[in-house]
Amino acid sequence: MTNRRSFLSGAALIGAGMVTKAGAASLPEAHVHSTATTAAPVAPPNGRPYNPVVTLNGWTLPWRMKDGVKEFHLVAEPVVREIAPGMTANLWGYNGQSPGPTIEVVEGDRVRIFVTNKLPEHTSVHWHGQRLPNGMDGVTGLTQPGIPPGKTFVYEFVARNAGTFMYHPHADEMAQMAMGMMGFWVTHPRDPKLHAVDRDFVFLLSAYDIDPGSYTPKINTMTDFNLWTFNGRAFPGIDPMVVRKNDRVRIRVGNLTMTNHPVHLHGHTFEVTGTDGGWVRPSARWPEVTTDVAVGQMRAIEFIADEPGDWAFHCHKSHHTMNAMGHDVPTMIGVDHSGVAQKINNLVPGYMVMGDKGAAMGDMKMPLPENTLPMMTGTGPFGGLEMGGMFTVVKVREGLARNDYKDPGWYPHPQGTVAREWTGELPAAPRAPDAPPAKPSTPADVKRDGDMHHHH
């Protein structure tokens, strides 16, 4: 079985003859970040000012300024990503992670991105949604040759439009995107006061099909994915989004999976304020609690966090909030198989009856194959959350500092504000009135085809 060590040692061999020492010295540093924690927003050290974003379970790629140009260095390479504690995956990504780092620039910036290929095959980078010269669009065979293994290509263009974008390969896409090659791009407005919010979160939706006990995604899968992630992390490995009460909050979501995702926020209403095509003018917005993010799309939502608490934020497709999901399990609800179970238990001690009362796992702890996540997991202040995949919590708290993103723990509910068992007398349950008896049916007048036409 391919493990972390053997997977990455192959990458080292691929990259060994990448560039000469002189060539490497002329490139900007290829910053690497391998931890899966959410990095704090970083104020720009030079160039035009902007309000930085926070990449959920990710980070922003540093740059260097050279003759007025922002220079970045992306390295396409095999990476090992922790999907959640207890499971890692052999993926392809950029600069030590999948998804790769977020790139932040300002409208009007000239940017130069060096892309070094440490993969075992050619690649390219498409700057999804950007307005740029045709030869910088990153489509292998159409606008450029592929970047061969061990080589470095350079892309250069002006970030013309403020907005929310992505980057990903247009080379052997079925394999490379299924292996996790994607990243986020934000172009900030020239005026930092334009579209300003207090907290601005970004992440990509991604999905994988990784057999229990294995490490590498099956790249030919079209529909039966079993791991659904926010920025390459499955709940409970996804960090919460921490905000101050009354903050104006923006959440930007990009979708590079094979299906749409209705993203739902509890406890608040929001407006869709941006897409990868640009900002939505205020007169075209309307209140929502769920917005559908289709394949290849970006959506930016905004809301005022005026309700303290721990509010769920998740994809509303129920299978997308589970892990290691099997799709061929029969429904056993209502089936009494206790007699059969006893016979099986005589042969297989410890066999458990499952599914006859529903699919809740409760506190059952079942042995799992190596490197496999439970289907539903995570623990909250009231017990098991029974969630996985595309699920996290927006934690709204009073009194946080402006740049305080530390997890504040679980919400302390005021007295009397938690749903509880009722032990008093129950009121009478109103019932719908009985339906009136049905009228006896009468034979319908049926016209034969011959009665409907005249023949001459």
Side-chain angles (χ1 to χ4, degrees), residues 422-431:
W422 177 258
T423 57
E425 184 178 349
L426 292 176
R431 300 179 63 87

mmCIF file of all heavy atoms in Angstrom, residues 422-431:
data_model
loop_
_atom_site.group_PDB
_atom_site.id
_atom_site.type_symbol
_atom_site.label_atom_id
_atom_site.label_comp_id
_atom_site.label_asym_id
_atom_site.label_seq_id
_atom_site.Cartn_x
_atom_site.Cartn_y
_atom_site.Cartn_z
ATOM 1 N N TRP A 422 -40.315 18.097 28.072
ATOM 2 C CA TRP A 422 -41.515 18.607 28.742
ATOM 3 C C TRP A 422 -42.081 17.498 29.624
ATOM 4 O O TRP A 422 -42.321 16.383 29.158
ATOM 5 C CB TRP A 422 -42.556 19.049 27.716
ATOM 6 C CG TRP A 422 -43.839 19.505 28.336
ATOM 7 C CD1 TRP A 422 -45.008 18.797 28.432
ATOM 8 C CD2 TRP A 422 -44.080 20.751 28.975
ATOM 9 N NE1 TRP A 422 -45.968 19.516 29.068
ATOM 10 C CE2 TRP A 422 -45.428 20.737 29.429
ATOM 11 C CE3 TRP A 422 -43.297 21.882 29.221
ATOM 12 C CZ2 TRP A 422 -46.003 21.799 30.107
ATOM 13 C CZ3 TRP A 422 -43.880 22.951 29.888
ATOM 14 C CH2 TRP A 422 -45.211 22.905 30.320
ATOM 15 N N THR A 423 -42.274 17.796 30.911
ATOM 16 C CA THR A 423 -42.783 16.779 31.838
ATOM 17 C C THR A 423 -44.156 17.129 32.382
ATOM 18 O O THR A 423 -44.707 16.399 33.200
ATOM 19 C CB THR A 423 -41.813 16.617 33.018
ATOM 20 O OG1 THR A 423 -41.623 17.878 33.662
ATOM 21 C CG2 THR A 423 -40.459 16.077 32.540
ATOM 22 N N GLY A 424 -44.718 18.267 31.959
ATOM 23 C CA GLY A 424 -46.048 18.649 32.429
ATOM 24 C C GLY A 424 -47.151 17.996 31.626
ATOM 25 O O GLY A 424 -46.927 17.100 30.800
ATOM 26 N N GLU A 425 -48.382 18.495 31.855
ATOM 27 C CA GLU A 425 -49.543 17.949 31.143
ATOM 28 C C GLU A 425 -49.498 18.402 29.698
ATOM 29 O O GLU A 425 -49.179 19.552 29.393
ATOM 30 C CB GLU A 425 -50.826 18.456 31.810
ATOM 31 C CG GLU A 425 -52.088 17.863 31.199
ATOM 32 C CD GLU A 425 -53.347 18.353 31.912
ATOM 33 O OE1 GLU A 425 -53.210 18.966 32.991
ATOM 34 O OE2 GLU A 425 -54.433 18.133 31.355
ATOM 35 N N LEU A 426 -49.822 17.483 28.809
ATOM 36 C CA LEU A 426 -49.796 17.804 27.387
ATOM 37 C C LEU A 426 -51.127 18.396 26.953
ATOM 38 O O LEU A 426 -52.193 17.888 27.326
ATOM 39 C CB LEU A 426 -49.512 16.549 26.560
ATOM 40 C CG LEU A 426 -48.117 15.936 26.700
ATOM 41 C CD1 LEU A 426 -48.036 14.648 25.884
ATOM 42 C CD2 LEU A 426 -47.062 16.919 26.235
ATOM 43 N N PRO A 427 -51.121 19.463 26.176
ATOM 44 C CA PRO A 427 -52.377 19.980 25.634
ATOM 45 C C PRO A 427 -52.936 19.010 24.603
ATOM 46 O O PRO A 427 -52.207 18.197 24.024
ATOM 47 C CB PRO A 427 -51.956 21.301 24.992
ATOM 48 C CG PRO A 427 -50.506 21.121 24.664
ATOM 49 C CD PRO A 427 -49.953 20.222 25.731
ATOM 50 N N ALA A 428 -54.236 19.106 24.396
ATOM 51 C CA ALA A 428 -54.856 18.243 23.387
ATOM 52 C C ALA A 428 -54.282 18.576 22.020
ATOM 53 O O ALA A 428 -54.083 19.741 21.678
ATOM 54 C CB ALA A 428 -56.364 18.445 23.394
ATOM 55 N N ALA A 429 -53.993 17.539 21.262
ATOM 56 C CA ALA A 429 -53.437 17.743 19.924
ATOM 57 C C ALA A 429 -54.568 17.992 18.938
ATOM 58 O O ALA A 429 -55.475 17.159 18.806
ATOM 59 C CB ALA A 429 -52.638 16.521 19.502
ATOM 60 N N PRO A 430 -54.597 19.140 18.273
ATOM 61 C CA PRO A 430 -55.653 19.385 17.290
ATOM 62 C C PRO A 430 -55.532 18.404 16.130
ATOM 63 O O PRO A 430 -54.428 18.007 15.737
ATOM 64 C CB PRO A 430 -55.392 20.827 16.840
ATOM 65 C CG PRO A 430 -53.957 21.079 17.151
ATOM 66 C CD PRO A 430 -53.636 20.246 18.353
ATOM 67 N N ARG A 431 -56.684 18.013 15.618
ATOM 68 C CA ARG A 431 -56.696 17.059 14.517
ATOM 69 C C ARG A 431 -57.450 17.659 13.348
ATOM 70 O O ARG A 431 -58.350 18.485 13.515
ATOM 71 C CB ARG A 431 -57.382 15.747 14.933
ATOM 72 C CG ARG A 431 -56.704 15.046 16.112
ATOM 73 C CD ARG A 431 -57.446 13.767 16.475
ATOM 74 N NE ARG A 431 -57.423 12.795 15.376
ATOM 75 C CZ ARG A 431 -56.441 11.926 15.199
ATOM 76 N NH1 ARG A 431 -55.419 11.891 16.025
ATOM 77 N NH2 ARG A 431 -56.485 11.076 14.208
#
